[in-house]
Amino acid sequence: MDTQKLIFPVLIFFLFFLLTGKQVVQGRLAHHHHHHHHHHHHHHTPRHLFNFRPSKLFVFGDSYADTGNNRKSEANSWKYPYGITFPGKPAGRFSDGRVLTDYLAKFMGVKSPIPYRWWRVIDGDKDKYLKYGMNFAHGGTGVFKTLVSDPNMTVQIDFFQQLIKDNLFNATDLESSVALVTLSGNDYSAYIARNGTTEGWQPFITSVVNQLAVNLKRIHDLGVKKIAMTGLEPLGCLPRSTAINSFQQCNETQNLLVNLHNLLLQEAVVKLNNETKDSALIILDLYDSFMTVFKNKGTYLGSTKFENPLKPCCVGISSDYSCGSEDENGTKKYTVCEDPESTFFWDTVHPTQEGWRAVCAALQATIEQL
């Protein structure tokens, strides 16, 4: 196959992707094949997945996991109508409500951990806010420097390491903790913006996954017992990519590229699990879980039926605007659907709360089959 031909349209897509704003991350729970299939797993207890009862969740990554670290001056996540479903006003989540972090925390039986930026500005006794872990994820970031100035994943792990050094989390805390790591493609859109070409594209995917592996090993070496890493979601199905055909079908060329990333990620995780001997890593396969929800339109997962799963709820009135945009007079330049619960996507990149719920239901089915 002529990879240049394959990759060129992907380049155009990423450029488009990039110019229109931030992206995010998520996956399905894939595990090791050596697990016995006859074990029965029940979703109401996380013990089967983690082999212990986790008490803390540490989160690293981008806008699929960010619950309020982005600065208000920078991110649409602090503008109306973000947050209208939960908590009822903009609160820094890139959705109308809850995101992946919130659902994973719920599954574990803990509260969603405090965003690092909020924790830093608390007056008085900060310790009591550390009970459920901490969220270091910043929307728009990746493993390398992207188009935002927020801390990339290496710096996020530096923050975590410093808190451990300062004895805010001890070995026992870490042993009963889980890390969620999301990576949704911001590195790729930044690469295209800078290079304007697909040259060196495949080696770049390799370098992203290699850096990700370094990050995962570092989190594990700091003492975290289990790490859930998201696979790359089907970028070709994001409304940003499907707007061109009225949100009717995914761009398969872009999704082939995603498959390469996910294949390399799977290999890296198998290697890390062999090296660490404790199978600490699992992949949340966002590709499969998104596709499952699209195919079933959400129905069998017990969620509202998504009539057209690819069509977003909140969009700018033209390509110059996005969800939450206003002009200099404060006039809104976006439209919002009547019922966010009936749509899978909130904006051109991020799922709605209901979308995330359906994805996590699809991931849970995988957990139960382990």
Side-chain angles (χ1 to χ4, degrees), residues 21-272:
K22 300 199 169 172
Q23 317 143 240
V24 288
V25 185
Q26 171 182 326
R28 173 203 76 189
L29 282 160
H31 217 324
H32 272 351
H33 306 300
H34 60 248
H35 277 263
H36 304 298
H37 287 271
H38 59 263
H39 284 186
H40 295 293
H41 291 271
H42 301 287
H43 64 260
H44 47 76
T45 166
R47 269 205 196 93
H48 300 292
L49 171 60
F50 303 114
N51 302 322
F52 64 100
R53 184 167 285 288
S55 62
K56 285 181 171 50
L57 175 61
F58 295 103
V59 186
F60 307 89
D62 51 28
S63 58
Y64 272 22
D66 189 350
T67 54
N69 280 315
N70 269 98
R71 287 175 296 229
K72 294 189 180 182
S73 57
E74 273 197 355
N76 272 12
S77 56
W78 288 100
K79 294 176 186 164
Y80 186 84
Y82 285 79
I84 53 170
T85 304
F86 171 84
K89 60 177 187 203
R93 284 174 175 81
F94 291 81
S95 182
D96 65 311
R98 293 171 181 85
V99 295
L100 180 58
T101 301
D102 303 303
Y103 283 107
L104 186 63
K106 189 180 176 196
F107 179 80
M108 286 168 53
V110 301
K111 284 188 176 165
S112 206
I114 189 167
Y116 177 69
R117 195 174 64 89
W118 294 7
W119 177 79
R120 284 185 61 194
V121 298
I122 291 169
D123 289 329
D125 179 19
K126 293 184 171 203
D127 291 5
K128 64 179 181 192
Y129 294 96
L130 302 174
K131 187 175 177 192
Y132 305 109
M134 194 168 289
N135 188 344
F136 300 94
H138 284 71
T141 64
V143 293
F144 299 128
K145 181 160 174 38
T146 56
L147 301 168
V148 296
S149 56
D150 294 285
N152 69 17
M153 202 181 290
T154 299
V155 181
Q156 293 174 25
I157 301 168
D158 290 344
F159 293 156
F160 180 47
Q161 190 166 4
Q162 190 57 49
L163 295 183
I164 295 170
K165 220 175 176 170
D166 296 343
N167 293 317
L168 290 167
F169 296 110
N170 61 32
T172 315
D173 292 331
L174 298 170
E175 272 170 25
S176 64
S177 71
V178 171
L180 167 64
V181 181
T182 67
L183 189 80
S184 7
N186 294 315
D187 290 291
Y188 298 130
S189 43
Y191 178 87
I192 294 300
R194 290 192 190 113
N195 298 285
T197 170
T198 51
E199 217 160 312
W201 187 254
Q202 285 168 303
F204 183 67
I205 294 179
T206 305
S207 67
V208 167
V209 175
N210 287 348
Q211 182 57 47
L212 196 47
V214 168
N215 296 351
L216 294 171
K217 185 171 189 321
R218 202 176 147 207
I219 293 167
H220 180 261
D221 290 348
L222 284 169
V224 176
K225 195 93 169 212
K226 284 280 176 190
I227 303 169
M229 172 72 226
T230 61
L232 201 51
E233 76 280 11
L235 297 176
C237 300
L238 300 182
R240 186 168 288 172
S241 295
T242 61
I244 197 164
N245 60 44
S246 307
F247 314 110
Q248 292 307 305
Q249 74 193 81
C250 301
N251 181 322
E252 294 310 323
T253 312
Q254 293 158 21
N255 285 345
L256 281 172
L257 210 145
V258 172
N259 289 332
L260 174 61
H261 170 101
N262 287 339
L263 190 68
L264 294 174
L265 176 62
Q266 214 169 353
E267 287 173 4
V269 164
V270 168
K271 187 167 175 277
L272 281 167

Side-chain angles (χ1 to χ4, degrees), residues 26-29 64 100 103 284-294 298 301 303 306 344 351-366:
Q26 171 182 326
R28 173 203 76 189
L29 282 160
Y64 272 22
L100 180 58
Y103 283 107
L284 295 177
D285 188 337
L286 290 195
Y287 192 95
D288 269 15
S289 52
F290 273 47
M291 289 303 200
T292 300
V293 176
F294 296 157
L301 297 167
S303 53
F306 302 125
F344 178 83
T352 55
Q353 170 173 296
E354 191 62 25
W356 276 126
R357 199 181 73 73
V359 163
C360 291
L363 290 175
Q364 197 160 295
T366 310

